Amino acid sequence: MTVLITPVVEEIFFRGFLFQWMASRHRLWLAALISSVMFGASHIIPPQTISAAIMSLLITYLFVASKSLWPPIVCHIVSNLLSVSGNLFIPLLEVG
């Protein structure tokens, strides 16, 4: 769910709907900033909100540059996959 479904749903909502809706009413940079802060806030845990907001800015740029949701979706899936993999394997490396 975290690796496949969530990134697709979040990208459709945050880039495909929210960012585009805001960009049609405000300057592009402001739409990117506000939608990215909202994306970060949706992750609730403070350190995660900051990294998610920064990642969202980069993914928004990817969306604008590519004019497609597919690159942001793939990037988001890879990011979540790395995060989940790290959370699964780091405990195996701990000594003691």
Side-chain angles (χ1 to χ4, degrees):
M1 179 102 168
T2 300
V3 174
L4 292 175
I5 305 300
T6 302
V8 171
V9 171
E10 286 182 344
E11 291 308 317
I12 289 170
F13 177 73
F14 284 99
R15 251 63 64 198
F17 169 70
L18 184 64
F19 168 73
Q20 289 191 87
W21 178 78
M22 294 178 90
S24 71
R25 290 161 174 73
H26 303 287
R27 293 183 177 174
L28 200 61
W29 67 267
L30 185 59
L33 183 64
I34 293 171
S35 64
S36 293
V37 168
M38 292 174 74
F39 178 80
S42 75
H43 288 76
I44 301 171
I45 302 165
Q48 197 177 28
T49 61
I50 295 165
S51 62
I54 292 167
M55 185 184 89
S56 181
L57 281 171
L58 297 171
I59 289 178
T60 300
Y61 173 78
L62 190 59
F63 173 66
V64 171
S66 69
K67 299 178 181 156
S68 170
L69 273 177
W70 287 111
I73 288 171
V74 170
C75 183
H76 199 151
I77 287 171
V78 169
S79 175
N80 284 13
L81 179 62
L82 291 172
S83 178
V84 168
S85 298
N87 289 334
L88 290 174
F89 294 114
I90 286 176
L92 298 175
L93 300 174
E94 292 178 354
V95 178

